[in-house]
Amino acid sequence: MALFRTAARIHGYVIPAPRFTRWALIYFLKFVAVPMLLVLLALDVALYFVFRDWLGSCYGLLCFLE
């Protein structure tokens, strides 16, 4: 997208183009990636116990490792 890669001129000042920074990575990990992974991990563990205890079948990699 050329919109995000070009520098802009505002009132005579050249404003640098947006870029991905270390702080953006930290915020992405803190507010998007880690919470999503924790929710998916909790869902996977809950489904494992539901399938193992209530349905009596194998679910996921943990059944094959037993």
Side-chain angles (χ1 to χ4, degrees), residues 41-52:
L41 176 66
L43 183 63
D44 191 43
V45 169
L47 284 174
Y48 169 74
F49 286 115
V50 165
F51 273 79
R52 189 187 70 177

Side-chain angles (χ1 to χ4, degrees), residues 26-64:
I26 291 170
Y27 280 118
F28 173 76
L29 291 174
K30 183 177 179 181
F31 294 114
V32 177
V34 172
M36 186 181 302
L37 286 174
L38 290 175
V39 167
L40 291 174
L41 176 66
L43 183 63
D44 191 43
V45 169
L47 284 174
Y48 169 74
F49 286 115
V50 165
F51 273 79
R52 189 187 70 177
D53 295 337
W54 292 349
L55 300 176
S57 64
C58 188
Y59 172 79
L61 186 61
L62 292 175
C63 289
F64 296 117

